[in-house]
Amino acid sequence: QVQLVESGGGLVQPGGSLRLSCAASGSIFRLNAMGWYRQAPGKQRELVSTITSGGRITSADSTGRFTISRDNAKNTVYLQMNSLKPEDTAVYYCNADVQVTAYQRVSNWGQGTQVTVSS
């Protein structure tokens, strides 16, 4: 069993910042890619950004407002979100590609954390 615990969501005014965290624990042989996705009301879940264990980043954000990072020693991935806009309002989900044994690989999701950008 692998658990992903997210934190850092909340209500913020437009232009504000938030930092999301997601810590992985449990039966982890090796953590591969970790990332963030989001789902706004009435929309499909979409990629925000992912980062491999070696630090290679894939991002859907071309404005540079969102920055992903990870601490491999803590099995934790972060998402720094700046200059937030109302359209960033969504539930943000953490995902981790976990090698649970040398032969078994599982994709895990966190429970989601709500981010609301509103004045």
Side-chain angles (χ1 to χ4, degrees):
Q1 282 284 62
V2 175
Q3 295 81 40
L4 299 179
V5 178
E6 299 144 334
S7 61
L11 173 64
V12 64
Q13 292 188 343
S17 297
L18 284 174
R19 189 191 194 209
L20 306 182
S21 300
C22 172
S25 62
S27 301
I28 300 172
F29 178 74
R30 184 178 64 245
L31 267 182
N32 299 319
M34 299 183 76
W36 293 94
Y37 293 73
R38 68 184 183 183
Q39 187 166 17
K43 295 188 177 181
Q44 290 188 336
R45 192 173 297 187
E46 63 179 7
L47 169 71
V48 177
S49 190
T50 63
I51 183 169
T52 68
S53 58
R56 187 173 72 244
I57 292 171
T58 300
S59 179
D61 169 47
S62 60
T63 67
R65 297 185 299 121
F66 293 178
T67 303
I68 193 170
S69 61
R70 67 188 279 173
D71 184 332
N72 289 331
K74 295 181 178 179
N75 288 343
T76 299
V77 64
Y78 306 96
L79 184 69
Q80 178 67 43
M81 304 186 294
N82 299 325
S83 302
L84 283 162
K85 304 175 181 181
E87 51 263 43
D88 295 318
T89 295
V91 178
Y92 283 70
Y93 295 92
C94 175
N95 177 267
D97 180 4
V98 182
Q99 201 78 32
V100 294
T101 69
Y103 309 102
Q104 185 182 10
R105 185 174 174 178
V106 179
S107 179
N108 293 269
W109 291 93
Q111 79 284 0
T113 185
Q114 178 70 47
V115 171
T116 302
V117 184
S118 176
S119 55

